[in-house]
Amino acid sequence: MPDRKKKPSPQTKRLEEYVYRRPLAAKELIPAIGIGVAAGLAAFYVTRLFIQRTPLLPEKQRAARLPASSRVAG
């Protein structure tokens, strides 16, 4: 069986020729850098809140509530 390659439609071909990437100047990168820094700070703050939160049960009560492991080391 011969291989039949699909020919792109004229509209697709036109769009492929139109799309291009241009280099960005530093001035144009400032919003993206600002959003990245803000997202990083927000993630840091939320993580810090979770780490600093007070446990609902003191350490002794948490240890007492854990069931003893049925596995034997070895």
Side-chain angles (χ1 to χ4, degrees):
M1 252 183 144
D3 259 345
R4 294 184 184 180
K5 293 185 179 178
K6 291 184 179 179
K7 292 183 180 180
S9 68
Q11 185 177 7
T12 304
K13 187 176 180 183
R14 186 178 72 224
L15 289 175
E16 287 175 353
E17 292 173 1
Y18 180 75
V19 176
Y20 66 95
R21 293 179 65 138
R22 63 183 177 87
L24 296 176
K27 184 179 179 182
E28 295 172 315
L29 289 175
I30 290 174
I33 293 170
I35 290 171
V37 169
L41 288 173
F44 173 78
Y45 177 72
V46 169
T47 304
R48 190 171 150 235
L49 286 177
F50 276 110
I51 291 172
Q52 288 179 342
R53 70 183 175 96
T54 304
L56 296 176
L57 294 174
E59 185 68 33
K60 291 178 184 178
Q61 287 182 355
R62 278 189 284 157
R65 293 187 79 179
L66 293 176
S69 178
S70 61
R71 294 188 319 179
V72 177

